[in-house]
Amino acid sequence: MPIKALGRLVALPFLVSLAGCNMVVMQPSGDIAVQQRDLIVMSTILMLLIIVPVIAMTLFFAWKYRQSNTDAPYDPEWSHSTQLEFVIWAAPLVIIIALGALTWISTHTLDPYRPLDRIDSARPVAADVKPLTVEVVALDWKWLFIYPEQGIAVVNDLAAPVDVPVTFKITASTVMNSFFIPSLAGQIYAMPGMETELHAVMNHPGQYDGFSANYSGAGFSDMRFKFHGLSAAEFERWVQSAKAGGQTLDRQAYLQLERPSENDPVRRYASVADGLYGSILARTVTADKPASGTQAP
């Protein structure tokens, strides 16, 4: 078998395995995820500025000074080169400084608790724009999304208008979990009795995958949902479809929902008991403490 054909045959299993890879992290649709992608790319390039020359020089010296190359210069008394020392120490130092500066800036710019100041690279957030608030609760093994301003709640289904900032307030019912929509932003942990935040925006309409990125028990692998990037009119219709469900997510209903279950279908609640998310966060939801009312749209 020719060497070229043998090389292709050896590479085939690797190409087949890569065919199943999902490159969504490198092709995101939300501005925060785009900035995170750019950070990954820039960091990789900076590191390759050292890695590639080192590998190339290693191969070059191994070839040039091989035992059979009698034409290579031989200097047994050589011990120091100021120029070589300068390159060896200065180049990595510059890369480390650049990486440190990039990390420091991006750590503050991409802080998930930091409200957004732009819709994308060309559009700042207008001063009069009010972010959409979504309260996220990681349950066993499903996701509960409460929209306090719209007065609705949805299980395993999430939507937001395109180009509208979204503020996620995230907690969990029992064990630590991780809220992750790769096309929108990086993963954020959900912990019982604690609240984390994520500010993000979706720039392109479509349907995107969301899931748990932290193992949390038997039903973890099916703890998935869809995120819908919608126009303003489509989002309003989505809200109205939830309101048409007729169910109320009161404390008793939440206690039933909180029970561990797997492969849960999408459920919609037309109204939500007052202060339910706060009680979930404080871990004080009890059936004998009914809510005083429902959240107004």
Side-chain angles (χ1 to χ4, degrees):
M1 179 181 292
I3 298 297
K4 190 175 182 180
L6 180 61
R8 290 175 178 174
L9 183 63
V10 172
L12 183 60
F14 299 98
L15 295 176
V16 171
S17 64
L18 287 174
C21 292
N22 190 339
M23 295 296 290
V24 64
V25 173
M26 303 307 294
Q27 298 175 331
S29 300
D31 184 61
I32 294 297
V34 167
Q35 294 182 68
Q36 292 172 336
R37 185 274 313 275
D38 293 344
L39 175 61
I40 293 172
V41 172
M42 185 60 67
S43 300
T44 302
I45 291 174
L46 285 172
M47 290 184 286
L48 287 176
L49 290 177
I50 290 296
I51 295 172
V52 171
V54 167
I55 293 175
M57 291 176 66
T58 300
L59 296 175
F60 171 75
F61 281 109
W63 173 81
K64 182 174 181 178
Y65 295 103
R66 66 193 185 278
Q67 185 177 8
S68 60
N69 185 14
T70 56
D71 294 330
Y74 177 64
D75 185 2
E77 301 299 324
W78 183 89
S79 62
H80 178 75
S81 170
T82 301
Q83 294 84 356
L84 185 59
E85 288 285 344
F86 178 79
V87 172
I88 289 174
W89 288 103
L93 181 61
V94 170
I95 298 301
I96 291 171
I97 292 173
L99 280 172
L102 184 65
T103 301
W104 189 89
I105 294 171
S106 61
T107 297
H108 291 81
T109 304
L110 298 176
D111 182 355
Y113 286 82
R114 182 175 182 264
L116 301 185
D117 57 9
R118 74 182 212 181
I119 299 299
D120 56 34
S121 59
R123 295 176 293 170
V125 175
D128 59 344
V129 170
K130 183 180 180 182
L132 172 69
T133 299
V134 181
E135 297 165 341
V136 180
V137 183
L139 303 172
D140 295 332
W141 287 277
K142 48 197 169 283
W143 292 96
L144 171 63
F145 303 107
I146 300 174
Y147 289 75
E149 295 160 358
Q150 287 72 28
I152 63 171
V154 187
V155 173
N156 287 342
D157 200 40
L158 178 63
V162 170
D163 292 338
V164 173
V166 184
T167 298
F168 294 100
K169 298 182 177 182
I170 307 167
T171 190
S173 60
T174 56
V175 300
M176 186 170 74
N177 227 297
S178 182
F179 175 71
F180 191 22
I181 306 173
S183 290
L184 182 69
Q187 62 171 321
I188 302 295
Y189 283 108
M191 295 168 281
M194 300 179 65
E195 181 182 80
T196 51
E197 289 187 14
L198 172 64
H199 295 267
V201 60
M202 180 58 72
N203 299 122
H204 301 284
Q207 181 173 279
Y208 306 94
D209 291 324
F211 53 89
S212 169
N214 188 80
Y215 181 74
S216 58
F220 155 78
S221 58
D222 294 313
M223 199 171 169
R224 297 175 175 271
F225 61 91
K226 293 297 181 181
F227 175 85
H228 308 277
L230 307 174
S231 66
E234 290 172 334
F235 178 71
E236 183 57 32
R237 287 195 293 270
W238 185 85
V239 170
Q240 293 305 318
S241 69
K243 289 182 177 293
Q247 293 180 306
T248 297
L249 184 62
D250 55 18
R251 294 172 185 268
Q252 185 63 46
Y254 171 78
L255 291 173
Q256 294 290 328
L257 180 65
E258 187 185 32
R259 295 177 179 176
S261 58
E262 301 179 30
N263 292 306
D264 276 62
V266 173
R267 306 185 204 176
R268 295 179 172 86
Y269 297 90
S271 58
V272 183
D274 262 346
L276 179 60
Y277 175 77
S279 296
I280 295 170
L281 180 59
R283 309 189 72 182
T284 58
V285 181
T286 57
D288 59 350
K289 186 181 179 181
S292 58
T294 56
Q295 292 178 340

